[in-house]
Amino acid sequence: MSIADFLVIINDILLRTVSMMYFPRSFLNFTPVCSTTLVLAVAATLISVWLTVAFTLDRFLAICYPNVKAKYCTERTATVIMGIVSVFSCLISVPWYFTMAAEYNIDNIPRGCVFKQVFLNLTSWASFELLTISLMMFVPFFLLLWLNTLTASHVLMSGRVRRGFRGRNTGDNDPEMMNRRKSVVLLFCISGSFLLLWSTEVIHVLSVRVFATPYVNGTDFESVGFMLQVLSTCTNTAIYVLTQSKFREQMKSAAKYPIFLIVKLVKNWNT
């Protein structure tokens, strides 16, 4: 998930937004190139969202069905799911390449990317855009909400049973119960943040496609929706993973590794 989120930042922010705003004459602004970066940005966003759903499903099975944890919650299963999600996301993102047209020409070279009028007017393209948005927001959100609700219910029910065995007065001081309460809070934070950060973009798309509001590229509402959408690719990973001590240890190791390589190269060079 961290790699997928990082790819969203690279493709959607650096290669598309930043390059168009601050480096308009670079090769990244060629129409074929910026059309390709659009495809990559959509694919990376889909991968990020659906890996979050897959991770939530893994947690649901591990917590609510311990018997199947050893069979399905394995590294091999995770690898297969990541491969399926990545391939499917890339395939469904390819049609976005053909929605772009050149904004202007310099020395007979098409530059810039704007939506083709046929894309904005055809019902089939509108349906495809709504399908993409549904796969990015609606379907993942309801799956996350459903899985998190079932997981939270299971944790709360297990907590009541645990308090019954340990005694009513020991529940508040039980470390296991405190960890389970934190887990419930984290589960609902995932659903809430996902809904809030995607709602602006979804409202914008629905207002354009369903209510036929005139499409104005670059409005403040659209910009805010895009900003929150990109931010949503970071919050889920932060909530799920950055709170884990093992992940923090791995991040420290990753940060120290380049320094270790530089020190090793310096020692080899001196010897």
Side-chain angles (χ1 to χ4, degrees):
M1 286 195 305
S2 300
I3 295 176
D5 293 340
F6 185 63
L7 290 176
V8 174
I9 300 300
I10 291 177
N11 291 294
D12 220 349
I13 301 300
L14 297 180
L15 297 183
R16 293 189 67 237
T17 306
V18 174
S19 64
M20 291 180 184
M21 292 178 60
Y22 298 102
F23 306 100
R25 296 184 178 275
S26 69
F27 75 96
L28 293 174
N29 204 30
F30 293 166
T31 301
V33 177
C34 63
S35 299
T36 302
T37 56
L38 173 63
V39 173
L40 295 176
V42 174
T45 303
L46 284 171
I47 293 172
S48 173
V49 169
W50 281 98
L51 286 184
T52 302
V53 175
F55 184 73
T56 306
L57 178 61
D58 182 84
R59 286 170 58 91
F60 168 73
L61 293 176
I63 295 174
C64 299
Y65 298 96
N67 295 331
V68 302
K69 178 181 179 181
K71 184 177 180 180
Y72 294 103
C73 301
T74 61
E75 183 177 352
R76 180 180 179 181
T77 303
T79 303
V80 172
I81 292 177
M82 286 188 294
I84 294 174
V85 169
S86 300
V87 172
F88 176 78
S89 299
C90 292
L91 290 177
I92 202 173
S93 303
V94 169
W96 283 93
Y97 181 90
F98 304 99
T99 65
M100 294 288 105
E103 187 175 4
Y104 52 91
N105 287 274
I106 298 179
D107 297 330
N108 294 324
I109 298 177
R111 291 177 177 268
C113 286
V114 292
F115 282 104
K116 296 178 181 178
Q117 288 299 321
V118 65
F119 169 74
L120 298 176
N121 297 328
L122 286 180
T123 305
S124 59
W125 280 115
S127 301
F128 175 74
E129 184 180 16
L130 289 176
L131 172 64
T132 305
I133 292 297
S134 297
L135 290 176
M136 282 185 180
M137 194 278 176
F138 288 118
V139 177
F141 170 74
F142 285 111
L143 285 176
L144 286 173
L145 181 61
W146 177 57
L147 292 173
N148 289 339
T149 300
L150 292 177
T151 306
S153 300
H154 179 82
V155 171
L156 292 176
M157 186 177 298
S158 300
R160 293 193 187 102
V161 174
R162 185 179 178 87
R163 283 196 300 269
F165 280 113
R166 294 175 61 89
R168 183 179 299 272
N169 296 328
T170 59
D172 295 336
N173 298 323
D174 188 358
E176 181 66 21
M177 288 303 304
M178 295 177 63
N179 291 332
R180 291 183 179 183
R181 291 194 190 100
K182 292 179 180 179
S183 298
V184 172
V185 172
L186 290 175
L187 290 173
F188 281 103
C189 284
I190 286 292
S191 300
S193 64
F194 196 89
L195 174 63
L196 292 174
L197 294 175
W198 271 95
S199 58
T200 305
E201 179 67 13
V202 171
I203 291 173
H204 170 259
V205 173
L206 290 177
S207 65
V208 172
R209 290 303 187 190
V210 178
F211 301 105
T213 303
Y215 186 88
V216 181
N217 190 23
T219 59
D220 292 338
F221 191 79
E222 181 187 12
S223 300
V224 172
F226 172 73
M227 179 188 67
L228 295 177
Q229 172 213 324
V230 175
L231 181 62
S232 69
T233 62
C234 306
T235 55
N236 291 336
T237 301
I239 296 173
Y240 268 131
V241 185
L242 291 180
T243 55
Q244 306 299 319
S245 58
K246 292 183 179 180
F247 184 80
R248 290 195 296 269
E249 293 175 359
Q250 292 179 357
M251 287 196 66
K252 291 179 181 179
S253 300
K256 294 178 181 178
Y257 186 71
I259 301 176
F260 172 76
L261 287 179
I262 293 174
V263 173
K264 185 177 180 180
L265 290 174
V266 171
K267 289 183 178 179
N268 293 335
W269 179 267
N270 293 331
T271 57

